[in-house]
Amino acid sequence: MIESTYQSTHAVHDEVVLAGDHWVHEIKAGQTFRIEDLEGNQAADTLFYNAHDPEERYSASDTIRVQRALYLSTGTKLISNRGRTMLTITADTCGRHDTLGGACSRESNVMRYAFDREPMHACRDIFIRGIQCWCHDMNKRDLACNINFFMNVPVTPEGGLSFADGVSGPGRYVEMKAEMDVMCLISNCPQLNNPCNAYNPTPVRVLLWE
Amino acid sequence: MSLDSPIFQLELEGAGMWSRVIGRNKTLRLTDLEGGANVGMMLYHATERHERYNMPDTLKGQHIFYLRAPYCLHSDMGRLMASITKDTVGWHDTVCGASDAESVLQQFGENNYQKSRNEFYRNARECFLIELCKWGLGERDWIPNLNWFSKVVADEEGKLSYVAGNSKAGDLVELRFEMDTLVVLNTCQHPFDPAMTYQPKRVRLEVFANDPPMDGDASLMVRPENARAYQNTKDFYLLSE
């Protein structure tokens, strides 16, 4: 657990993202970005793209490969599909974040839960709305496997995998410094089928410092 | 149905690459010829190529961290791409990705074509991108790939370790395709393979015709998620054919 020295009163951007909303925003190289879990056990599904060339984007497998580790925390470099560092996590009061579990979708809700869950609001639809708002040349093809900040997906040495009760809590945050100009795309998860958020999606807060 | 008469077979050199469409109701058998092979693989719906193999849906849909028979490969559209119907290995990685030029240079040193002709050192990232390009795909289509025959385990803190000796000469895995699938693969070494010398291994590919799965099929019964995903695949073909 590493706490931040940044004060919210000095942030150049400070915004609350409601559950079920998307947030698309540029983060310049050198800026520090914080996501705060306002009420606890929320999942902030997040993607990053090179702001000038969105074919370069966050890559879960390259991030796992370079670090040889499954969970993200202070010191983790978020690696692109070209093997380059996009952001480095500089502070974290949650402890671990997931990069394996991906995002819910209407299609995966059907597969995972039941056919009657198809109409429910889901992250990959929110991501699609977000990239349509940023750049009209982008589409589903541009949705990589995302980070789930504040989500706990423990893997056992025997190879088991589960969505466990969250390790986050009210006011926990993760902070990262951008190493290149990136576009951040968040879907603040609306999942109502998963006990990890007590079936109660809640807002997150996003802050930026120069 | 017996799979003893392949309709296609090919031996792929170490650090070789290959891509083809394999139709549903066909089975691909991969055989590790020397022991210690790795087959990196990406999968796309043959006609709707925005639909791809999805590592997170495959793992969380089946509550597993690795792949083995009788588990399945899920697409990002809630459908089944393929089922692992036979497997003498028991553990295959799908989270650790692919080697790239930098990692191969760091591990094995420089060995270019000018110097070594076709024995030069290739990396999995370049092999994937070369084959993807032939089907109109590229970096936008980059996904976490499968690494057949390779085993990586996680400790309680999530630190990963490569397990050597996971696959022996003659070990095989069979994929029964449930969807017409573009298969893109290469035989470069796993990115965590600690070998001090560059030694990608040969693999045999064979394709067989198979009957559609019967009621009670192990892959479709192992998890209720697989049965629903298979129903979605059947619905796709019911409407589109």
Side-chain angles (χ1 to χ4, degrees):
Chain A
M1 303 279 188
I2 302 286
E3 293 195 15
S4 169
T5 56
Y6 287 96
Q7 304 295 320
S8 60
T9 48
H10 296 145
V12 296
H13 191 92
D14 183 350
E15 184 178 350
V16 170
V17 182
L18 299 178
D21 279 0
H22 67 260
W23 184 76
V24 185
H25 202 281
E26 187 169 5
I27 304 168
K28 292 284 188 189
Q31 284 187 322
T32 291
F33 173 53
R34 178 191 294 179
I35 311 176
E36 182 181 342
D37 187 0
L38 287 171
E39 297 183 32
N41 289 343
Q42 179 58 7
D45 291 47
T46 305
L47 288 165
F48 294 104
Y49 301 84
N50 179 332
H52 310 290
D53 180 3
E55 290 197 22
E56 180 172 23
R57 71 275 309 261
Y58 168 76
S59 165
S61 57
D62 286 294
T63 298
I64 290 167
R65 175 180 63 85
V66 166
Q67 254 99 189
R68 298 198 176 212
L70 292 180
Y71 311 126
L72 316 180
S73 188
T74 308
T76 303
K77 297 174 187 305
L78 306 181
I79 305 294
S80 79
N81 58 345
R82 293 178 188 161
R84 302 200 301 161
T85 302
M86 305 185 80
L87 305 99
T88 303
I89 298 179
T90 49
D92 177 25
T93 63
C94 176
R96 63 162 61 164
H97 306 267
D98 164 61
T99 192
L100 279 184
C104 62
S105 69
R106 300 202 341 258
E107 293 81 6
S108 71
N109 283 345
V110 168
M111 178 270 284
R112 294 184 69 199
Y113 303 110
F115 288 106
D116 67 4
R117 308 299 156 89
E118 196 276 338
M120 295 176 73
H121 197 40
C123 280
R124 275 182 252 169
D125 285 1
I126 299 170
F127 278 147
I128 286 171
R129 286 296 302 131
I131 54 172
Q132 285 172 335
C133 291
W134 173 30
C135 171
H136 292 288
D137 290 337
M138 294 175 76
N139 57 43
K140 173 181 172 294
R141 188 179 175 192
D142 298 288
L143 297 186
C145 295
N146 58 285
I147 300 167
N148 291 309
F149 286 113
F150 310 114
M151 184 84 117
N152 185 24
V153 182
V155 170
T156 68
E158 295 74 38
L161 176 144
S162 61
F163 279 64
D165 193 18
V167 291
S168 186
R172 303 282 179 97
Y173 58 81
V174 58
E175 211 166 88
M176 59 211 88
K177 183 179 178 186
E179 312 283 356
M180 62 170 76
D181 295 345
V182 297
M183 190 64 83
C184 176
L185 170 57
I186 291 177
S187 163
N188 193 20
C189 186
Q191 179 59 263
L192 291 171
N193 294 289
N194 196 316
C196 66
N197 62 1
Y199 307 98
N200 179 31
T202 50
V204 298
R205 182 183 179 192
V206 288
L207 302 100
L208 276 172
W209 289 269
E210 294 291 352
Chain B
M1 181 180 171
S2 169
L3 297 180
D4 52 9
S5 308
I7 57 173
F8 174 87
Q9 52 187 324
L10 173 76
E11 206 169 285
L12 207 57
E13 294 295 314
M17 58 187 117
W18 188 80
S19 58
R20 292 289 189 282
V21 170
I22 299 182
R24 66 189 180 123
N25 299 325
K26 291 189 176 65
T27 293
L28 171 66
R29 177 189 292 164
L30 305 171
T31 304
D32 180 353
L33 293 173
E34 304 171 77
N38 182 72
V39 177
M41 180 183 285
M42 293 179 174
L43 300 169
Y44 303 82
H45 189 156
T47 54
E48 311 298 333
R49 291 188 194 142
H50 291 190
E51 179 173 2
R52 312 117 174 223
Y53 168 70
N54 188 281
M55 174 271 283
D57 285 355
T58 298
L59 298 187
K60 71 188 181 190
Q62 301 177 103
H63 303 268
I64 51 171
F65 171 63
Y66 65 101
L67 292 166
R68 63 176 171 85
Y71 288 90
C72 295
L73 311 180
H74 288 252
S75 84
D76 64 352
M77 291 294 284
R79 294 190 267 259
L80 273 195
M81 304 193 91
S83 307
I84 306 171
T85 47
K86 188 173 181 183
D87 174 22
T88 66
V89 183
W91 189 302
H92 307 268
D93 165 53
T94 186
V95 306
C96 296
S99 62
D100 62 10
E102 184 186 356
S103 65
V104 168
L105 179 67
Q106 278 184 356
Q107 186 168 1
F108 304 112
E110 185 167 12
N111 191 6
N112 58 29
Y113 181 83
Q114 179 68 51
K115 177 177 160 194
S116 299
R117 301 307 188 208
N118 285 315
E119 303 302 313
F120 80 113
Y121 295 169
R122 311 201 77 140
N123 64 79
R125 175 182 157 77
E126 284 179 8
C127 291
F128 276 130
L129 289 174
I130 288 168
E131 290 301 315
L132 285 170
C133 188
K134 296 172 184 175
W135 302 88
L137 305 177
E139 284 184 309
R140 293 173 70 187
D141 307 285
W142 192 258
I143 54 173
N145 57 284
L146 296 136
N147 281 308
W148 298 106
F149 302 115
S150 294
K151 180 174 183 177
V152 174
V153 296
D155 68 13
E156 299 291 343
E157 280 72 50
K159 298 289 182 198
L160 297 171
S161 307
Y162 178 85
V163 179
N166 183 53
S167 174
K168 315 277 189 302
D171 271 335
L172 61 87
V173 59
E174 290 181 358
L175 307 179
R176 182 185 68 206
F177 285 91
E178 318 295 6
M179 178 184 285
D180 297 336
T181 302
L182 170 61
V183 179
V184 179
L185 60 82
N186 65 74
T187 51
C188 291
Q189 283 163 265
H190 188 278
F192 293 178
D193 185 339
M196 298 303 290
T197 54
Y198 183 79
Q199 48 183 23
K201 301 299 177 59
R202 288 182 301 123
V203 171
R204 181 184 298 128
L205 314 178
E206 296 165 283
V207 179
F208 305 81
N210 65 256
D211 290 330
M214 309 273 283
D215 288 346
D217 180 85
S219 294
L220 308 185
M221 297 290 287
V222 66
R223 293 289 318 182
E225 291 89 339
N226 291 0
R228 285 191 291 269
Y230 183 63
Q231 183 63 48
N232 288 339
T233 303
K234 284 203 297 187
D235 286 348
F236 174 86
Y237 284 107
L238 187 68
L239 295 177
S240 65
E241 282 187 337

